[in-house]
Amino acid sequence: MNWWQKLQSNFLAKCGALLLLLFYLSVIAADFVAPYDPYASQPNGSLLPPTEIYLRTPQGELIGPHVYPTTQGPVELATGDRQLTIDWKKPSPLRLFVRGSTYKLFRISLPLPPPRDEIVIFPGIPLDWHLFGTTGEGKFNLLGTDEQGRDQFSRLLYGGRISLSIGLIGIAISFPLGMLVGGISGYFGGWVDSILMRVVEVLMTIPSLYLLVALAAVLPPGLTSSQRFLLIVVITSFVSWSGLARVIRGQVLSLKEREFVQAAKTMGGNPIYIIVRHVLPQTATYIIISATLAVPSFIVAESILSLIGLGIQQPDPSWGNMLTLATNASILVLQPWLIWPPALLIVLTVLAFNLLGDGLRDALDPRTQQR
């Protein structure tokens, strides 16, 4: 049984992979999947609960799934409850593939420091179709609205772009650096190994969370939230490669005495070429597993920074800054729909990556295959 068949036979790993595939496809196509603009506020729509779906009108007529225009009424000062005002005269049918706000599907841009705030890689496809929505005045807020009257479900999808991509950016920077430093250290040995490993040991003593907080506090205030956090990720990625470098060094120390490496040396191969072409590919199993298990740490770091106000800033959404409402006791009691969706998505994403990483470890580990 090869590794792919072994991975397919692992039920938990398949669940994790399918869940991650669903999440990433949803956030990539967030413009289409989200029913509303995540930055647009609904008039008198602050802190609305999830919209209730009806099949019959108040008169008992069956017209299929529909909603009604809903706004916030006066607040009960004694209890803090908000009364909802529902316009029963304007049923709004629910439909798939409805027209709404205009967007550019698959638009890709990278944030840059001022005065040029971004570079557009792909301008996107202009569209106004959405996966679902209403055809009347009523709004379908699947997960309710936040304190600014913005659709919570739409903001979750757009916020996932930051929270899910941050881990991929982190490992794309830190892993090649860790592999190269570890490979050079283990292959050459001697004073090169001593110097590089002392640098690695110094970097490993730096507590990453405190470093993140310190970096976030000293960044220029003029940066946008995307620029701010991208800069944090780039800086911390250049620190987080140290643990990987030590492991790769240990593997290279044993690999450099193998016959295929000695043959490459005899044929006059350049040391860097031998490291990159012959030695490091032998560590691919560990790299794949380690990368899968390292992504959640970047996601959690983003969530923590945004939660304490040092990461992505409002009005830009991320799963972390959407959790800042959890510090308000009244929100926890009266509007729990604002708290549990981003928290649940963070937990499920971290769990899915760990399940997939464990499955890859079992499938790719040669000792497991021998058993």
Side-chain angles (χ1 to χ4, degrees), residues 246-317:
R246 285 188 65 88
V247 177
I248 296 299
R249 168 188 174 270
Q251 295 188 1
V252 172
L253 284 174
S254 61
L255 288 171
K256 70 178 183 179
E257 303 299 332
R258 301 280 293 274
E259 292 81 0
F260 64 91
V261 177
Q262 297 300 322
K265 288 182 179 179
T266 304
M267 296 177 65
N270 182 276
I272 299 298
Y273 175 81
I274 296 175
I275 293 171
V276 175
R277 180 65 180 84
H278 297 289
V279 178
L280 289 182
Q282 301 300 315
T283 67
T285 297
Y286 174 80
I287 295 300
I288 294 173
I289 298 170
S290 182
T292 307
L293 297 175
V295 172
S297 63
F298 287 94
I299 296 176
V300 172
E302 183 275 328
S303 302
I304 294 174
L305 277 181
S306 298
L307 177 61
I308 62 179
L310 296 176
I312 302 299
Q313 305 294 317
Q314 294 285 354
D316 296 322

Side-chain angles (χ1 to χ4, degrees), residues 17-317:
L18 291 175
L19 191 60
L20 290 175
L21 180 63
L22 174 63
F23 285 173
Y24 276 98
L25 289 178
S26 298
V27 301
I28 290 173
D31 306 274
F32 169 69
V33 178
Y36 305 110
D37 185 342
Y39 300 98
S41 300
Q42 301 177 18
N44 298 321
S46 174
L47 298 177
L48 289 175
T51 304
E52 186 174 353
I53 301 175
Y54 300 88
L55 296 177
R56 296 180 180 272
T57 65
Q59 294 75 28
E61 181 183 358
L62 181 63
I63 62 173
H66 64 280
V67 299
Y68 294 93
T70 305
T71 56
Q72 286 286 5
V75 180
E76 292 288 344
L77 298 179
T79 61
D81 294 334
R82 294 174 178 264
Q83 298 180 2
L84 300 180
T85 302
I86 303 176
D87 189 348
W88 299 104
K89 298 179 180 180
K90 298 178 180 178
S92 301
L94 288 174
R95 295 289 185 267
L96 293 175
F97 306 109
V98 298
R99 290 185 180 274
S101 58
T102 304
Y103 58 88
K104 293 184 178 180
L105 188 65
F106 303 131
R107 183 177 187 273
I108 302 175
S109 62
L110 290 176
L112 294 176
R116 189 178 183 183
D117 291 336
E118 68 175 19
I119 178 173
V120 177
I121 299 176
F122 180 68
I125 306 170
L127 293 172
D128 61 355
W129 288 97
H130 295 265
L131 179 61
F132 64 92
T134 61
T135 56
E137 296 182 18
K139 301 291 186 180
F140 180 47
N141 303 121
L142 183 62
L143 296 175
T145 62
D146 62 7
E147 74 283 1
Q148 301 294 327
R150 299 168 298 197
D151 183 61
Q152 181 80 344
F153 180 73
S154 300
R155 290 182 64 78
L156 276 176
L157 288 173
Y158 280 83
R161 289 181 169 179
I162 294 292
S163 298
L164 292 178
S165 63
I166 214 71
L168 302 182
I169 296 173
I171 63 173
I173 297 173
S174 62
F175 270 60
L177 185 58
M179 291 171 60
L180 186 60
V181 172
I184 292 174
S185 178
Y187 183 83
F188 288 102
W191 64 269
V192 175
D193 181 33
S194 298
I195 293 176
L196 290 178
M197 285 302 102
R198 298 300 81 75
V199 174
V200 166
E201 289 167 0
V202 170
L203 293 177
M204 291 181 70
T205 61
I206 301 175
S208 58
L209 181 58
Y210 295 108
L211 177 63
L212 285 171
V213 174
L215 288 173
V218 300
L219 289 179
L223 297 177
T224 65
S225 58
S226 298
Q227 295 167 349
R228 184 184 184 90
F229 201 80
L230 183 60
L231 185 58
I232 293 173
V233 172
V234 169
I235 295 174
T236 53
S237 296
F238 280 104
V239 178
S240 60
W241 55 264
S242 54
L244 175 67
R246 285 188 65 88
V247 177
I248 296 299
R249 168 188 174 270
Q251 295 188 1
V252 172
L253 284 174
S254 61
L255 288 171
K256 70 178 183 179
E257 303 299 332
R258 301 280 293 274
E259 292 81 0
F260 64 91
V261 177
Q262 297 300 322
K265 288 182 179 179
T266 304
M267 296 177 65
N270 182 276
I272 299 298
Y273 175 81
I274 296 175
I275 293 171
V276 175
R277 180 65 180 84
H278 297 289
V279 178
L280 289 182
Q282 301 300 315
T283 67
T285 297
Y286 174 80
I287 295 300
I288 294 173
I289 298 170
S290 182
T292 307
L293 297 175
V295 172
S297 63
F298 287 94
I299 296 176
V300 172
E302 183 275 328
S303 302
I304 294 174
L305 277 181
S306 298
L307 177 61
I308 62 179
L310 296 176
I312 302 299
Q313 305 294 317
Q314 294 285 354
D316 296 322

